[in-house]
Amino acid sequence: MITHIQGKLTEKNPTHVVVDCHGVGYMLNISLHTYSQIPDSEHLKLYTHLQVKEDSHTLYGFSSVAEREIFRLLISVSGIGASIARTMLSSLTPKQVREGIASSDVALIQSIKGIGAKTAQRVIIDLKDKILKIYDLDEVSVSKGNTNKDEALSALEVLGFMKKQAERVVDKIVMAQPDADVETIIKQALKNL
């Protein structure tokens, strides 16, 4: 319902902030990660998640869409409520949570206060496939400094191919032939797309 709130920051605490939007103050519960990302300037935009229960409506604020998505994935797991998900995002960065789940790091997930061995395993079982699918973490990324690869990718995009699909094919070609020139990469990619 409420996807983001933008306004004047009137109160900032490690657990919550108050944002004034045209005279209405919204209290948003935040993680320590979001707290560390909030600038000290007056103007603020946070992405939100509204949790509606019988006895309360609670707004959670996030500095990035990525953090909000991890939060939503976490609360979809049985036994993980909003407060534990927020504790996870206060103890670890969204990237660490994502990578911990993707690599089945039970010890990392269990290191968070309030999460036992069974809950940590459930988080990994429930979310590993989703995280690998959403973030494409199972793909081996090739060194970022390959300009031939970048040029080939932009050429394939111009030709109308989807970026993710083209990236997978180009990565495989570059891994097999690290010194391939742009033309070779494009020709081989076109055969595989």
Side-chain angles (χ1 to χ4, degrees), residues 14 46 48-49 55 81 90 95 105 112 132 134 145 151 155 171 184 187:
L46 289 178
T48 60
H49 173 81
D55 57 345
S90 292
K95 188 179 180 190
D105 191 345
I112 293 147
L132 289 175
I134 294 169
E151 283 180 40
D171 280 350
T184 309
K187 282 180 181 175

PDB file of all heavy atoms in Angstrom, residues 14 46 48-49 55 81 90 95 105 112 132 134 145 151 155 171 184 187:
ATOM      1  N   PRO A  14      18.473   4.712  16.463  1.00  0.00           N
ATOM      2  CA  PRO A  14      18.940   3.450  15.871  1.00  0.00           C
ATOM      3  C   PRO A  14      17.814   2.467  15.535  1.00  0.00           C
ATOM      4  O   PRO A  14      17.984   1.604  14.681  1.00  0.00           O
ATOM      5  CB  PRO A  14      19.867   2.874  16.944  1.00  0.00           C
ATOM      6  CG  PRO A  14      20.327   4.063  17.718  1.00  0.00           C
ATOM      7  CD  PRO A  14      19.162   5.009  17.721  1.00  0.00           C
ATOM      8  N   LEU A  46      12.711   6.879   2.226  1.00  0.00           N
ATOM      9  CA  LEU A  46      12.875   5.491   2.641  1.00  0.00           C
ATOM     10  C   LEU A  46      11.831   4.627   1.946  1.00  0.00           C
ATOM     11  O   LEU A  46      10.685   5.036   1.775  1.00  0.00           O
ATOM     12  CB  LEU A  46      12.714   5.345   4.162  1.00  0.00           C
ATOM     13  CG  LEU A  46      13.836   5.908   5.045  1.00  0.00           C
ATOM     14  CD1 LEU A  46      13.486   5.717   6.514  1.00  0.00           C
ATOM     15  CD2 LEU A  46      15.176   5.274   4.734  1.00  0.00           C
ATOM     16  N   THR A  48       9.366   1.446   2.018  1.00  0.00           N
ATOM     17  CA  THR A  48       8.633   0.965   3.179  1.00  0.00           C
ATOM     18  C   THR A  48       7.944  -0.371   2.964  1.00  0.00           C
ATOM     19  O   THR A  48       7.699  -0.800   1.839  1.00  0.00           O
ATOM     20  CB  THR A  48       7.557   1.991   3.593  1.00  0.00           C
ATOM     21  OG1 THR A  48       6.663   2.171   2.498  1.00  0.00           O
ATOM     22  CG2 THR A  48       8.159   3.314   3.990  1.00  0.00           C
ATOM     23  N   HIS A  49       7.659  -0.991   4.092  1.00  0.00           N
ATOM     24  CA  HIS A  49       6.829  -2.195   4.130  1.00  0.00           C
ATOM     25  C   HIS A  49       5.812  -1.948   5.239  1.00  0.00           C
ATOM     26  O   HIS A  49       6.188  -1.645   6.372  1.00  0.00           O
ATOM     27  CB  HIS A  49       7.677  -3.432   4.437  1.00  0.00           C
ATOM     28  CG  HIS A  49       6.849  -4.660   4.639  1.00  0.00           C
ATOM     29  ND1 HIS A  49       6.352  -5.404   3.589  1.00  0.00           N
ATOM     30  CD2 HIS A  49       6.385  -5.263   5.771  1.00  0.00           C
ATOM     31  CE1 HIS A  49       5.640  -6.416   4.064  1.00  0.00           C
ATOM     32  NE2 HIS A  49       5.641  -6.342   5.375  1.00  0.00           N
ATOM     33  N   ASP A  55      -4.192  -5.715  15.800  1.00  0.00           N
ATOM     34  CA  ASP A  55      -4.076  -4.653  16.794  1.00  0.00           C
ATOM     35  C   ASP A  55      -3.109  -3.521  16.417  1.00  0.00           C
ATOM     36  O   ASP A  55      -2.917  -2.591  17.193  1.00  0.00           O
ATOM     37  CB  ASP A  55      -3.657  -5.244  18.143  1.00  0.00           C
ATOM     38  CG  ASP A  55      -2.347  -6.022  18.043  1.00  0.00           C
ATOM     39  OD1 ASP A  55      -1.924  -6.331  16.921  1.00  0.00           O
ATOM     40  OD2 ASP A  55      -1.756  -6.304  19.110  1.00  0.00           O
ATOM     41  N   GLY A  81       9.490 -13.497  12.264  1.00  0.00           N
ATOM     42  CA  GLY A  81       8.599 -12.339  12.280  1.00  0.00           C
ATOM     43  C   GLY A  81       9.374 -11.097  11.880  1.00  0.00           C
ATOM     44  O   GLY A  81      10.585 -11.137  11.619  1.00  0.00           O
ATOM     45  N   SER A  90      19.995  -5.913  11.127  1.00  0.00           N
ATOM     46  CA  SER A  90      20.787  -5.036  11.989  1.00  0.00           C
ATOM     47  C   SER A  90      22.146  -5.682  12.272  1.00  0.00           C
ATOM     48  O   SER A  90      23.144  -4.991  12.444  1.00  0.00           O
ATOM     49  CB  SER A  90      20.059  -4.781  13.313  1.00  0.00           C
ATOM     50  OG  SER A  90      18.908  -4.006  13.087  1.00  0.00           O
ATOM     51  N   LYS A  95      23.484  -7.834   1.881  1.00  0.00           N
ATOM     52  CA  LYS A  95      24.336  -8.670   1.036  1.00  0.00           C
ATOM     53  C   LYS A  95      24.836  -9.896   1.802  1.00  0.00           C
ATOM     54  O   LYS A  95      24.859 -11.007   1.276  1.00  0.00           O
ATOM     55  CB  LYS A  95      25.515  -7.852   0.505  1.00  0.00           C
ATOM     56  CG  LYS A  95      26.347  -8.583  -0.525  1.00  0.00           C
ATOM     57  CD  LYS A  95      27.476  -7.728  -1.041  1.00  0.00           C
ATOM     58  CE  LYS A  95      28.285  -8.518  -2.069  1.00  0.00           C
ATOM     59  NZ  LYS A  95      29.509  -7.869  -2.448  1.00  0.00           N
ATOM     60  N   ASP A 105      25.067 -21.146   4.735  1.00  0.00           N
ATOM     61  CA  ASP A 105      25.897 -20.893   5.915  1.00  0.00           C
ATOM     62  C   ASP A 105      25.012 -20.848   7.171  1.00  0.00           C
ATOM     63  O   ASP A 105      24.632 -19.788   7.649  1.00  0.00           O
ATOM     64  CB  ASP A 105      26.662 -19.571   5.724  1.00  0.00           C
ATOM     65  CG  ASP A 105      27.745 -19.360   6.759  1.00  0.00           C
ATOM     66  OD1 ASP A 105      27.737 -20.063   7.795  1.00  0.00           O
ATOM     67  OD2 ASP A 105      28.605 -18.492   6.542  1.00  0.00           O
ATOM     68  N   ILE A 112      22.686 -14.955  14.669  1.00  0.00           N
ATOM     69  CA  ILE A 112      21.797 -13.826  14.944  1.00  0.00           C
ATOM     70  C   ILE A 112      20.935 -14.136  16.163  1.00  0.00           C
ATOM     71  O   ILE A 112      20.371 -15.226  16.270  1.00  0.00           O
ATOM     72  CB  ILE A 112      20.933 -13.516  13.702  1.00  0.00           C
ATOM     73  CG1 ILE A 112      21.849 -12.990  12.595  1.00  0.00           C
ATOM     74  CG2 ILE A 112      19.863 -12.489  14.016  1.00  0.00           C
ATOM     75  CD1 ILE A 112      21.434 -13.359  11.236  1.00  0.00           C
ATOM     76  N   LEU A 132      18.814 -17.585  -5.126  1.00  0.00           N
ATOM     77  CA  LEU A 132      19.648 -17.913  -6.282  1.00  0.00           C
ATOM     78  C   LEU A 132      18.973 -17.467  -7.570  1.00  0.00           C
ATOM     79  O   LEU A 132      19.615 -16.957  -8.479  1.00  0.00           O
ATOM     80  CB  LEU A 132      19.928 -19.421  -6.334  1.00  0.00           C
ATOM     81  CG  LEU A 132      20.870 -19.969  -5.258  1.00  0.00           C
ATOM     82  CD1 LEU A 132      20.971 -21.478  -5.348  1.00  0.00           C
ATOM     83  CD2 LEU A 132      22.249 -19.346  -5.355  1.00  0.00           C
ATOM     84  N   ILE A 134      16.497 -15.027  -7.913  1.00  0.00           N
ATOM     85  CA  ILE A 134      16.326 -13.577  -7.981  1.00  0.00           C
ATOM     86  C   ILE A 134      17.652 -12.864  -8.265  1.00  0.00           C
ATOM     87  O   ILE A 134      17.723 -11.959  -9.076  1.00  0.00           O
ATOM     88  CB  ILE A 134      15.708 -13.020  -6.676  1.00  0.00           C
ATOM     89  CG1 ILE A 134      14.282 -13.529  -6.505  1.00  0.00           C
ATOM     90  CG2 ILE A 134      15.718 -11.489  -6.673  1.00  0.00           C
ATOM     91  CD1 ILE A 134      13.685 -13.261  -5.134  1.00  0.00           C
ATOM     92  N   GLY A 145      36.881  -6.271 -15.336  1.00  0.00           N
ATOM     93  CA  GLY A 145      37.639  -5.383 -16.201  1.00  0.00           C
ATOM     94  C   GLY A 145      37.737  -5.835 -17.648  1.00  0.00           C
ATOM     95  O   GLY A 145      38.633  -5.407 -18.352  1.00  0.00           O
ATOM     96  N   GLU A 151      31.681  -4.676 -24.315  1.00  0.00           N
ATOM     97  CA  GLU A 151      31.297  -4.214 -25.656  1.00  0.00           C
ATOM     98  C   GLU A 151      30.378  -5.228 -26.338  1.00  0.00           C
ATOM     99  O   GLU A 151      29.389  -4.858 -26.977  1.00  0.00           O
ATOM    100  CB  GLU A 151      32.546  -3.986 -26.523  1.00  0.00           C
ATOM    101  CG  GLU A 151      33.279  -2.707 -26.189  1.00  0.00           C
ATOM    102  CD  GLU A 151      34.516  -2.511 -27.055  1.00  0.00           C
ATOM    103  OE1 GLU A 151      34.464  -2.797 -28.265  1.00  0.00           O
ATOM    104  OE2 GLU A 151      35.542  -2.067 -26.502  1.00  0.00           O
ATOM    105  N   ALA A 155      26.477  -4.655 -27.493  1.00  0.00           N
ATOM    106  CA  ALA A 155      26.083  -4.927 -28.884  1.00  0.00           C
ATOM    107  C   ALA A 155      24.907  -5.894 -28.937  1.00  0.00           C
ATOM    108  O   ALA A 155      23.957  -5.702 -29.703  1.00  0.00           O
ATOM    109  CB  ALA A 155      27.268  -5.500 -29.656  1.00  0.00           C
ATOM    110  N   ASP A 171      29.419 -14.799 -20.564  1.00  0.00           N
ATOM    111  CA  ASP A 171      30.298 -15.246 -19.474  1.00  0.00           C
ATOM    112  C   ASP A 171      30.922 -16.601 -19.788  1.00  0.00           C
ATOM    113  O   ASP A 171      32.119 -16.810 -19.572  1.00  0.00           O
ATOM    114  CB  ASP A 171      29.526 -15.333 -18.147  1.00  0.00           C
ATOM    115  CG  ASP A 171      29.355 -13.975 -17.488  1.00  0.00           C
ATOM    116  OD1 ASP A 171      29.995 -13.009 -17.946  1.00  0.00           O
ATOM    117  OD2 ASP A 171      28.582 -13.891 -16.513  1.00  0.00           O
ATOM    118  N   THR A 184      34.514 -12.194 -32.054  1.00  0.00           N
ATOM    119  CA  THR A 184      34.405 -13.633 -31.761  1.00  0.00           C
ATOM    120  C   THR A 184      33.334 -13.883 -30.701  1.00  0.00           C
ATOM    121  O   THR A 184      32.515 -14.788 -30.841  1.00  0.00           O
ATOM    122  CB  THR A 184      35.767 -14.181 -31.269  1.00  0.00           C
ATOM    123  OG1 THR A 184      36.783 -13.784 -32.191  1.00  0.00           O
ATOM    124  CG2 THR A 184      35.743 -15.684 -31.143  1.00  0.00           C
ATOM    125  N   LYS A 187      29.849 -13.369 -32.284  1.00  0.00           N
ATOM    126  CA  LYS A 187      29.499 -14.460 -33.206  1.00  0.00           C
ATOM    127  C   LYS A 187      29.111 -15.719 -32.441  1.00  0.00           C
ATOM    128  O   LYS A 187      28.103 -16.359 -32.746  1.00  0.00           O
ATOM    129  CB  LYS A 187      30.665 -14.761 -34.154  1.00  0.00           C
ATOM    130  CG  LYS A 187      30.784 -13.753 -35.283  1.00  0.00           C
ATOM    131  CD  LYS A 187      31.948 -14.104 -36.198  1.00  0.00           C
ATOM    132  CE  LYS A 187      32.106 -13.088 -37.314  1.00  0.00           C
ATOM    133  NZ  LYS A 187      33.284 -13.346 -38.140  1.00  0.00           N
TER     134      LYS A 187
END
